[in-house]
Amino acid sequence: MTKVEEVEGTLNFHLKELNLAPTGYLAEQLESKGFLPEIRVQDFPIRGKKVYYHTLRQRWRVISSGEMISRDWALVAKGSGTPSYE
């Protein structure tokens, strides 16, 4: 978590994924390639205030193959609805 702010009755949590290799690539040599565009996910209100998570997700290049990878973030359990991405 890099920052928490309240703006006009809305709580904004800013999250930044750590530079740790995703499962399945621990033995691979990876090169950090920065971050994917920020996503904003709305969550349940806290004490009557809207809640948003602003998330920066890490991406890497597998040096041996050149493949670009990122961690798969399953933000909603299957069948429970669709998150609000902006």
Side-chain angles (χ1 to χ4, degrees):
M1 188 172 303
T2 59
K3 179 170 62 169
V4 177
E5 61 185 356
E6 183 178 350
V7 178
E8 299 176 8
T10 300
L11 294 173
N12 294 290
F13 295 89
H14 296 266
L15 307 168
K16 184 176 171 183
E17 184 177 22
L18 298 176
N19 190 10
L20 301 173
T23 304
Y25 292 92
L26 299 175
E28 295 284 346
Q29 193 172 17
L30 304 175
E31 175 183 30
S32 175
K33 296 305 275 183
F35 294 92
L36 295 166
E38 179 182 277
I39 61 169
R40 186 171 88 156
V41 179
Q42 185 175 6
D43 200 0
F44 292 102
I46 296 177
R47 297 186 183 212
K49 297 176 183 178
K50 291 181 181 179
V51 174
Y52 290 96
Y53 297 103
H54 302 262
T55 307
L56 284 174
R57 296 173 299 143
Q58 186 77 37
R59 65 180 165 189
W60 301 268
R61 183 175 68 86
V62 179
I63 293 178
S64 62
S65 68
E67 174 189 13
M68 294 297 291
I69 62 167
S70 62
R71 187 170 278 108
D72 180 22
W73 283 42
L75 298 173
V76 176
K78 186 176 180 179
S80 64
T82 304
S84 171
Y85 292 102
E86 294 179 12

